[in-house]
Amino acid sequence: MRKPTGAASFHGYAGPGDETLNATSPNVANELREFFDVTGHKESNDESLFPSEIPGFKKAIDEFRVESVNLADKLFRCIALYLGLAEDELVKRHTHMRDRSVPTQSVIRSSMYSPLKTMPQVQIGNDGGEIRCGEHCDWHTISLLFQDLIGGLDIRTTSGHWIEATPIENSIILISGDLLEIYSGGRLPATPHRVRILDDTKLTNKPRQSLVFAPSPDGFENVEPLLPILGELKGKPRSIYGPQSYSIVNALEWVHKRHSAAATY
Ligand SMILES: O=C(O)CCC(=O)C(=O)O
Ligand SMILES: [Fe+2]
């Protein structure tokens, strides 16, 4: 089920080192996670494209999707109201969440970070050039991130400081992605995050798992600011990860471009 080289669809498995999200540090040798992406309505309905070694995986993902879509729907409404937009302004750009025949680059990503003791080549403490997941912004509209209690996730604040997103049981982290930053004209900047190798070997010698639901707009939607771009941002580079301006990007092309840039397979 490994992702095929140069895949047009990014559905499937990728192993440690197959994806490099860290755009800023060429010194990072390897990102140590493996993950399974569930993308596209055709792929995600085809049982043969799911790992047969894990019985019930597709069923669990399907159930997870229903709950996640309900939550994303509510969040999109809240965010739109917060921005002073009509309540359905974001929901109507993500109709595929309810109508699974509409193409999109939305993804469910299940990540597994193996215990470091099973990787003897890794130098714990981030000084070996390895990291669990490199610094990046998500390239979708929002991400709902479910992490276990192991820890290591850091978030970079707008003032540039890294803070730990210490796991809180039964909580979900809401991450603003590249496309929400554009939609909101810079009011909700995309949030850089990473997963570090912790110094505590008791924790890094346990597996860590996370699950992300990241809705992207309907396939052929052009994404543009729904509000005037914040004055101080006009004409400035938007972020080191995302597009270099707030100009219109096509949702499909955008996610594809970022995905292809990160994939080393
Ligand atoms: O594993 C995590 O907590 C973060 C995963 C992540 O950032 C991603 O998949 O985009
Ligand atoms: Fe992420």
Side-chain angles (χ1 to χ4, degrees), residues 17-81:
D18 280 353
E19 190 181 85
T20 302
L21 290 172
N22 191 329
T24 52
S25 174
N27 297 328
V28 171
N30 254 330
E31 299 191 12
L32 297 173
R33 64 174 167 166
E34 50 189 338
F35 56 85
F36 195 97
D37 279 348
V38 180
T39 58
H41 72 276
K42 264 210 254 69
E43 292 87 343
S44 59
N45 283 326
D46 183 345
E47 187 87 48
S48 72
L49 295 178
F50 283 77
S52 53
E53 321 77 288
I54 312 174
F57 184 73
K58 179 173 182 305
K59 184 166 175 287
I61 291 288
D62 288 344
E63 286 169 8
F64 172 72
R65 186 197 311 279
V66 173
E67 299 295 334
S68 298
V69 163
N70 286 337
L71 179 56
D73 189 292
K74 288 196 184 95
L75 289 168
F76 277 146
R77 289 174 194 279
C78 293
I79 294 168
L81 290 174

Side-chain angles (χ1 to χ4, degrees), residues 131-152:
I131 191 161
R132 281 191 144 170
C133 169
E135 167 184 348
H136 66 286
C137 289
D138 290 345
W139 43 66
H140 305 269
T141 312
I142 55 171
S143 299
L144 308 181
L145 169 58
F146 304 73
Q147 63 167 337
D148 63 16
L149 297 179
I150 297 297

